[in-house]
Amino acid sequence: MPRPKAVPVRALFFFGVVALCGLAAMSVDLGQIKGFMPIRYVRVEGEIRNLDAAEFTRTLLPLTQVGYFLVDTHGIEEAAKSFPWLDSVQVARLWPDTLLLKVVEQKPVARTSDGGLINDRGGRFSPGNIQSYVKLPILDGPPGQEKQLLSMLYLLNGKLKQKGMRIDSLKLTGRRAWSARLASGVEIEFGKQDPALALERLLTLLPRLGEARIAALQKVDLRYPNGFAVIFRPQSQADLVSLAQPDCIARGRIRSRIYT
């Protein structure tokens, strides 16, 4: 039977010293090393446009006053995320006395009907004052449908761009019915059909109205299987033109007409 190898006395002495040092470190009161190697600098990297830098600093600074080794980077990240304009943050220690915060602000691309904003990933956030973003389109729909609404907004605007048009608001009801309002004020009812396909059909048939009638549009209803209905603005020149007989002037004003 092989005899076990003997451990050198020097090795035993070394491990014994390490163990004693570990026990000594564990017995030290954390309060005694709280001020050891303090954080002297907090460096923030990232483009800041809307984040209140002064309030951001006041909130996080007390969390850094525990020394380089005891600073809770995860706790600082969680505290930073309480600021609505902050999309993400990474906190790291830089030897020997610096704390680095890499921040990324929210990128708003749309508004919500209740005064909030939607970022470029379809995430909803509520920063309070959004006066600088009142020109962004409004997305209105059931909670959790922001990504679908944003995706549809991009798709529809891509089709409208060639006509010099864009969507000012897009709505999805709880019954899955779509509607939109263009920047020109024209309202479009899509119903429960695919808005992208319905819009393609509309853009194909729209030239039949002529430029004057297109400019006078108030509402377009696409909830018809073989055509669409239109309503013109009151007192518009298009109201006086017969859509059935485009070259003649009708005696009565036409408020709406179905095109097939």
Side-chain angles (χ1 to χ4, degrees):
M1 181 175 179
R3 297 176 60 185
K5 295 182 179 181
V7 179
V9 176
R10 289 182 179 178
L12 289 174
F13 177 77
F14 172 77
F15 287 120
V17 171
V18 171
L20 288 174
C21 290
L23 291 174
M26 292 175 62
S27 63
V28 174
D29 184 2
L30 292 180
Q32 297 177 3
I33 63 174
K34 183 177 180 179
F36 180 66
M37 293 187 66
I39 298 292
R40 300 185 185 278
Y41 307 99
V42 177
R43 193 167 82 197
V44 179
E45 293 183 355
E47 186 177 357
I48 297 178
R49 293 184 177 182
N50 299 287
L51 184 66
D52 188 336
E55 181 64 23
F56 186 71
T57 303
R58 282 195 298 269
T59 301
L60 301 185
L61 192 59
L63 302 178
T64 68
Q65 307 304 306
V66 293
Y68 184 86
F69 293 105
L70 295 182
V71 65
D72 182 5
T73 56
H74 178 71
I76 292 176
E77 288 179 358
E78 291 302 310
K81 290 177 182 178
S82 66
F83 288 80
W85 273 113
L86 195 64
D87 189 10
S88 65
V89 58
Q90 293 180 337
V91 182
R93 286 183 288 247
L94 297 181
W95 182 266
D97 56 5
T98 301
L99 197 66
L100 173 63
L101 281 75
K102 294 184 178 181
V103 302
V104 178
E105 272 197 354
Q106 301 274 13
K107 297 178 180 179
V109 295
R111 294 177 291 154
T112 63
S113 59
D114 59 358
L117 293 173
I118 295 177
N119 64 24
D120 55 345
R121 300 188 314 279
R124 179 191 293 255
F125 65 105
S126 301
N129 186 2
I130 62 170
Q131 188 63 33
S132 300
Y133 297 92
V134 293
K135 293 184 178 181
L136 291 178
I138 296 177
L139 300 182
D140 185 8
Q145 299 300 316
E146 291 82 9
K147 289 184 178 180
Q148 184 182 8
L149 280 159
L150 185 60
S151 177
M152 185 60 69
L153 174 70
Y154 288 154
L155 183 59
L156 297 180
N157 271 340
K159 298 178 182 299
L160 289 167
K161 185 177 180 180
Q162 57 184 324
K163 300 293 184 179
M165 305 176 184
R166 64 178 177 84
I167 290 178
D168 185 62
S169 67
L170 181 64
K171 182 177 182 179
L172 174 64
T173 69
R175 296 185 178 183
R176 313 301 298 176
W178 292 87
S179 62
R181 186 180 70 248
L182 304 185
S184 61
V186 177
E187 299 178 16
I188 303 178
E189 291 284 353
F190 295 106
K192 295 183 180 181
Q193 60 185 320
D194 185 342
L197 296 178
L199 183 62
E200 284 185 1
R201 187 175 79 250
L202 173 64
L203 295 178
T204 300
L205 299 175
L206 205 56
R208 298 184 184 182
L209 292 177
E211 292 184 3
R213 296 187 184 91
I214 293 176
L217 283 175
Q218 177 175 318
K219 185 175 182 178
V220 179
D221 192 342
L222 300 176
R223 295 173 296 178
Y224 294 87
N226 299 315
F228 63 94
V230 297
I231 298 177
F232 295 107
R233 296 189 184 97
Q235 306 300 326
S236 69
Q237 185 64 30
D239 272 342
L240 304 177
V241 180
S242 170
L243 304 181
Q245 300 176 1
D247 297 326
C248 301
I249 301 296
R251 294 181 180 178
R253 292 183 178 178
I254 297 176
R255 295 300 182 187
S256 63
R257 177 69 60 146
I258 298 178
Y259 283 80
T260 58

